[in-house]
């Protein structure tokens, strides 16, 4: 057992299974005041910061973003924070998987390593305690407050009431079945951008609507941060990597392959001239339902505006969300015409 270098961490990191693979230990920062101090210090030395926000339980999709961040900045910060503000009370916040030690070991194996893992206990003030002036200014400790609160939506929103909404882009697709999801995402990303103060931030195309929402938010609100979208990383059989895949039974996992397989077939069909979106969507929905899934949505939308199209005549993305048992998966494929 070996502890981290950081005085700000209470996370104990185990040695990686193969110490040959380890590059460097990231500094673990759990307090937002410390995180800001680190970033300001590095920026005053002229260093650029690349940032990868995650909810942890890292897989190769996340690691690809971290590797890409190394190509764009001197230093890399990865945040690991399961954001309660994007889960409605009926959603899977309490069962969202986590493995902080495993995550840190994976990050230590990335060539060049990671400089900081920002792992706050809580980024919200829910009003469950009497907020002091220090808390409001963010200079109080984050850690001892608000333990045990399940969702930001609890307590009638007392304590936290400011939300970032990207009005049109957040409405369709995932926004329909998860009405508070994107305001939670945009808000926490804003908070993280304010705390970490990066030059560049990386997001996966796996969450395509999220990527477009963050790009629009950054443009509309003048964040001086370059947003880079990274390609989807898939398992060898085509399943898009996701932290939620761990909850799939072997049977559900097999069924879930119907998403990527039917999307691939649709893309090939489109490239061969089948450009009618209704027919393409019907074929994907049929394939997923026949496999045993329940489709939440299947939409073919413009890559930039995310407006649905009837025929494929310009670059589009085919986005799907479907349930397999209790697990909701999303996936998409770009079709460039
Ligand atoms: P999450 O931990 O699910 O919030 O994801 C953190 C970041 O990793 C987001 O920008 C996701 O889009 C990205 N990501 C998740 N899965 C993948 C994947 N399979 N391929 C590429 N990026 C991904």
């Amino acid at each position: 057992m070996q502890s981290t270098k950081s005085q700000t961490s209470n996370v104990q990191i185990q040695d990686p299974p193969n110490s040959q693979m380890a590059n460097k230990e990231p500094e673990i920062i759990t307090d937002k005041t410390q995180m800001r101090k680190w970033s300001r210090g590095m920026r005053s030395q002229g260093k650029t910061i690349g940032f990868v926000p995650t909810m942890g339980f890292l897989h190769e999709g996340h690691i690809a973003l971290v590797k890409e961040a190394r190509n764009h900045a001197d230093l890399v910060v990865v945040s690991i924070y399961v954001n309660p503000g994007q889960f409605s009370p009926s959603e899977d916040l309490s069962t969202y998987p986590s493995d902080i030690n495993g995550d840190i070991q994976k990050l230590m194996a990335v060539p060049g390593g990671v400089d900081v893992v920002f792992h706050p206990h809580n980024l919200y003030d829910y009003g469950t305690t009497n907020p002091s002036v220090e808390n409001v200014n963010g200079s109080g400790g984050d850690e001892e407050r608000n333990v045990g609160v399940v969702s930001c939506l609890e307590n009638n929103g007392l304590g936290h009431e400011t939300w970032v909404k990207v009005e049109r882009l957040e409405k369709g697709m995932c926004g329909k079945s998860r009405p508070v999801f994107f305001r939670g995402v945009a808000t926490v990303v804003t908070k993280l951008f304010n705390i970490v103060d990066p030059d560049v931030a990386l997001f996966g195309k796996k969450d395509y609507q999220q990527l477009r929402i963050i790009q629009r938010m950054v443009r509309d609100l003048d964040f001086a941060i370059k947003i880079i979208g990274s390609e989807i990383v898939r398992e060898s059989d085509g399943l898009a990597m996701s932290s939620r895949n761990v909850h799939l039974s072997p049977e559900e996992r097999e069924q879930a392959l119907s998403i990527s397989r039917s999307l691939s077939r649709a893309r090939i069909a489109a490239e061969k001239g089948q450009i009618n979106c209704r027919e393409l969507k019907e074929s994907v929905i049929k394939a997923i339902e026949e496999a045993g899934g329940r489709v939440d949505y299947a939409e073919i939308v413009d890559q930039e505006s995310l407006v649905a199209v009837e025929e494929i005549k310009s670059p589009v993305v085919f986005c799907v969300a479907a349930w397999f048992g209790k697990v909701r998966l999303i996936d998409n494929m770009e079709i460039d015409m």
Side-chain angles (χ1 to χ4, degrees), residues 213-237:
I213 283 172
I214 299 300
Q215 285 173 324
R216 182 59 59 96
M217 177 187 91
V218 161
R219 194 194 74 173
D220 290 354
L221 299 183
D222 295 303
F223 284 97
I225 300 170
K226 183 175 179 191
I227 304 298
I228 294 172
S230 207
E231 297 304 320
I232 299 177
V233 178
R234 297 177 180 280
E235 305 283 358
S236 55
D237 57 11

Side-chain angles (χ1 to χ4, degrees), residues 75-253:
L75 302 165
V76 175
V77 176
V78 175
S79 66
I80 296 180
Y81 179 58
V82 181
N83 170 36
Q86 70 194 55
F87 289 80
S88 73
S90 62
E91 290 177 346
D92 60 348
L93 173 63
S94 60
T95 56
Y96 199 85
S98 75
D99 176 17
I100 185 67
N101 279 316
D103 288 347
I104 290 165
Q105 288 177 31
K106 284 174 193 157
L107 294 173
M108 284 168 69
V110 175
V114 161
D115 298 280
V116 167
V117 171
F118 180 46
H119 182 47
H121 296 274
N122 175 37
L123 286 180
Y124 293 88
D125 192 327
Y126 299 91
T128 50
T129 55
N130 200 4
S132 65
V133 173
E134 286 87 345
N135 283 349
V136 169
N137 288 337
S139 52
D142 306 329
E143 291 156 37
E144 61 287 353
R145 289 188 283 141
N146 306 319
V147 176
V149 175
V150 175
S151 162
C152 246
L153 302 173
E154 291 182 353
N155 206 18
N156 296 323
L158 291 173
H160 186 94
E161 59 179 70
T162 307
W163 299 97
V164 180
K165 282 167 70 84
V166 180
E167 301 252 352
R168 189 189 56 78
L169 281 174
E170 73 163 37
K171 286 208 170 85
M173 297 199 285
C174 286
K176 272 191 197 151
S177 50
R178 305 188 70 190
V180 300
F181 176 64
F182 286 120
R183 73 163 202 186
V185 169
T187 302
V188 83
V189 170
T190 298
K191 285 160 79 69
L192 288 165
F193 282 177
N194 283 331
I195 296 164
V196 175
D197 197 11
D199 298 274
V200 181
L202 293 97
F203 292 83
K205 287 188 182 176
K206 157 88 169 21
D207 299 85
Y208 207 91
Q209 191 174 7
Q210 169 175 288
L211 169 65
R212 293 298 181 229
I213 283 172
I214 299 300
Q215 285 173 324
R216 182 59 59 96
M217 177 187 91
V218 161
R219 194 194 74 173
D220 290 354
L221 299 183
D222 295 303
F223 284 97
I225 300 170
K226 183 175 179 191
I227 304 298
I228 294 172
S230 207
E231 297 304 320
I232 299 177
V233 178
R234 297 177 180 280
E235 305 283 358
S236 55
D237 57 11
L239 184 70
M241 290 194 183
S242 165
S243 304
R244 289 187 167 94
N245 290 351
V246 71
H247 291 314
L248 294 167
S249 69
E251 191 193 359
E252 288 162 354
R253 196 197 172 289

Side-chain angles (χ1 to χ4, degrees), residues 303-322:
Q303 285 182 12
E304 297 297 323
S305 68
L306 304 188
V307 171
V309 298
E310 286 178 11
E311 288 193 336
I312 304 179
K313 294 176 181 161
S314 55
V316 295
V317 55
F318 197 154
C319 298
V320 168

Side-chain angles (χ1 to χ4, degrees), residues 35-44 49 195-197:
M35 185 66 243
R36 276 199 190 98
K37 204 169 151 195
W38 182 91
S39 290
R40 285 185 183 162
M42 292 304 162
R43 291 175 75 88
S44 70
I49 299 172
I195 296 164
V196 175
D197 197 11

